[in-house]
């Protein structure tokens, strides 16, 4: 019986194989509106990757996991800005992972087209 060899170090994974939609690198300005105890606060940040289901962004404001925010962003290859409701799903420092929770069909098509166009140039 022959033993199978295993590498000394397991290769790192980025979690991509577990995602519903592939991520695409992007660098866009985003505007976030969050409701803090009845007061709406606006902050600008940078979206740095996107998928059909959400976006990761650097935002210089504390946001709790589970917080619902309004996000405004203009994606590459699109002429109009999108206004999307999102939920903060995770964070690492000031990098937040946000899932799109309320997206119109028109906006969903714009996101799909932008992700497809980004896939062609990356």
């Amino acid at each position: 019986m022959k033993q199978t060899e295993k590498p000394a170090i397991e290769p790192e994974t980025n979690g991509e194989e577990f995602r519903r939609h592939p991520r695409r690198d992007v660098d866009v300005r985003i505007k976030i509106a969050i409701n803090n105890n009845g007061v709406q606060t606006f902050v600008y940040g940078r979206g740095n990757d996107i998928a059909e289901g959400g976006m990761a962004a650097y935002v210089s404001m504390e946001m709790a996991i589970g917080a619902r925010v309004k996000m405004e962003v203009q994606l590459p290859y699109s002429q109009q800005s999108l206004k999307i409701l999102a939920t903060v799903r995770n964070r690492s420092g000031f990098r937040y992972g946000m899932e799109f929770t309320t997206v119109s069909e028109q906006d969903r098509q714009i996101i799909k087209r932008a992700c497809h166009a980004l896939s062609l140039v990356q």
Side-chain angles (χ1 to χ4, degrees):
M1 177 159 57
K2 184 179 178 182
Q3 278 188 326
T4 58
E5 293 182 23
K6 287 181 70 175
I9 299 174
E10 292 293 324
E12 289 187 29
T13 62
N14 61 5
E16 203 64 36
E17 64 273 12
F18 301 111
R19 297 188 177 281
R20 289 177 283 184
H21 307 286
R23 292 179 179 190
R24 303 294 174 209
D25 290 333
V26 71
D27 182 23
V28 292
R29 182 178 183 193
I30 61 170
K31 181 179 178 182
I32 300 283
I34 188 166
N35 191 340
N36 285 323
N37 299 322
V39 177
Q40 192 168 38
T41 303
F42 296 95
V43 65
Y44 290 93
R46 298 300 299 180
N48 72 331
D49 75 23
I50 188 167
E52 290 180 32
M55 175 180 272
Y58 287 93
V59 180
S60 62
M61 180 175 74
E62 292 283 331
M63 295 190 297
I65 304 295
R68 293 181 52 96
V69 300
K70 293 178 186 173
M71 178 187 311
E72 186 174 340
V73 60
Q74 185 167 350
L75 298 176
Y77 313 107
S78 174
Q79 295 180 357
Q80 69 184 58
S81 63
L82 306 177
K83 294 180 181 163
I84 300 170
L85 292 177
T87 302
V88 177
R89 294 296 182 202
N90 59 66
R91 86 176 274 197
S92 177
F94 287 104
R95 184 177 191 270
Y96 293 89
M98 294 178 276
E99 178 183 12
F100 301 146
T101 50
T102 305
V103 184
S104 70
E105 187 55 37
Q106 179 183 1
D107 288 349
R108 186 167 308 282
Q109 291 305 315
I110 291 169
I111 295 166
K112 280 183 170 186
R113 280 195 304 272
C115 287
H116 177 69
L118 289 166
S119 75
L120 298 174
V121 296
Q122 294 179 2

